[in-house]
Amino acid sequence: MKTISKSCAISDTPDKPGDFRESRDFEKYRDRCILCKRPAVTLHHILPRSKGRRSNSPDNLVPLCHHHHELIHQEGPANWRTRLEAARDKTAALFSS
């Protein structure tokens, strides 16, 4: 899987990027960016792994397209946290009914 940033890839081991398409937790996203529905290329941590909390838990990860992933890292992930959490919660609500 091509990832934009190693810090945004999930993995079972620290040196091996994971592929969200293999995760059942992300079937609900249908391989689409949570913000625009383009094909997703990576999982993004809402709260950065450097913060040490929740790291790779499903509620901290959202799939993003190349465009949105680049944009978030250019503008600063903290500026996008609320929007990403809202999109994640909206998607979860759609599929929990």
Side-chain angles (χ1 to χ4, degrees):
M1 174 180 149
K2 178 182 176 187
T3 58
I4 297 159
S5 164
K6 281 190 176 184
S7 67
C8 285
I10 62 167
S11 69
D12 296 326
T13 59
D15 59 343
K16 180 183 172 197
D19 187 338
F20 76 91
R21 291 173 189 91
E22 297 172 1
S23 173
R24 289 185 201 162
D25 295 322
F26 296 97
E27 287 178 2
K28 64 186 170 197
Y29 296 116
R30 295 187 171 96
D31 297 334
R32 298 293 172 178
C33 174
I34 198 160
L35 297 171
C36 70
K37 309 305 181 226
R38 291 181 194 146
V41 297
T42 193
L43 283 173
H44 177 77
H45 292 85
I46 296 172
L47 292 174
R49 291 192 308 179
S50 62
K51 300 292 182 198
R53 292 180 274 153
R54 299 192 300 169
S55 108
N56 288 340
S57 67
D59 66 331
N60 190 42
L61 296 166
V62 291
L64 294 174
C65 66
H66 177 80
H67 168 76
H68 279 110
H69 193 240
E70 287 288 314
L71 188 63
I72 287 168
H73 281 280
Q74 287 171 4
E75 293 182 4
N79 298 331
W80 284 80
R81 181 176 171 193
T82 302
R83 186 171 176 194
L84 292 173
E85 288 174 338
R88 176 204 60 208
D89 295 345
K90 180 179 178 182
T91 300
L94 288 172
F95 290 97
S96 66
S97 326

